Amino acid sequence: MSLFAPVLMLFIALVGVVTNCLSVLVFVRQKFRRNFHRLLIMLAAYDLLVVIFCSMLYCLNSIWPAYKSHFPYIAPYLLPMVHIALMSSVYCTVVMSWERYIRIVLISNLVNCTYLSRGKFRAYLATIIIFPILFYLPKFYEVRPEIFEDEITHTINCSKRQHFVDNNSIRSYDDLSICLH
């Protein structure tokens, strides 16, 4: 199994983590924040969550052996969190595009609009945060890890040398080390 793809994905994820953290720091430090800046902070935060959760879901299982034993217990919760973060990121991008449209087209043309009032903008942000959580809440109950032991219940007669045909070649049970003496 090649480790090239998981290591490359983990490297790209680390670049994404650093980039999104820097974006959040730059926009949080600004003294004058507009709605657009708040949306950029939310978008960077959700993208940071997407990068972290996706790397935990798709990369670490192949690279880190200690993580592999915990992965079956973490994966049923990671997948819905990835979906929530992705959906929130998409909604944030849509609201950001809509906000830019309102600012550029309507307000620049001196059209009076109340689409971007403080209360309505907070309602948009609440929708971006709450709706994906409510939408993907059932996904947390879809998959549960189960520990089971598979027992072999077949009896094998080792008194005679029995043969079977496998891929046009005859093998015996002794060759397959099934019969223990």
Side-chain angles (χ1 to χ4, degrees), residues 92-125:
C92 196
T93 305
V94 168
V95 170
M96 192 177 341
S97 300
W98 181 74
E99 190 267 346
R100 288 288 89 190
Y101 171 77
I102 296 296
R103 292 260 183 227
I104 293 170
V105 174
L106 295 181
I107 296 177
S108 295
N109 291 331
L110 301 175
V111 175
N112 189 13
C113 69
T114 59
Y115 296 128
L116 299 175
S117 67
R118 181 176 288 254
K120 287 186 180 180
F121 188 73
R122 285 185 181 170
Y124 304 146
L125 294 184

Side-chain angles (χ1 to χ4, degrees), residues 64-90:
W64 191 12
Y67 182 74
K68 193 177 279 191
S69 64
H70 299 291
F71 183 72
Y73 303 103
I74 298 171
Y77 303 104
L78 274 178
L79 190 61
M81 290 191 293
V82 167
H83 290 169
I84 289 169
L86 278 171
M87 188 178 208
S88 299
S89 178
V90 168

Side-chain angles (χ1 to χ4, degrees), residues 167-181:
N167 293 335
N168 297 328
S169 66
I170 298 176
R171 297 185 182 178
S172 68
Y173 285 139
D174 294 333
D175 294 338
L176 294 175
S177 302
I178 292 178
C179 295
L180 299 174
H181 298 289

Side-chain angles (χ1 to χ4, degrees), residues 7 18 29 47 52 55 65 80 111 123 128 133 138 141 143 156 160 169 173 178:
V7 170
V18 170
R29 288 185 166 202
D47 286 346
I52 290 171
S55 65
V111 175
I128 291 172
I133 293 171
Y141 302 104
V143 180
I156 299 173
K160 296 180 181 178
S169 66
Y173 285 139
I178 292 178

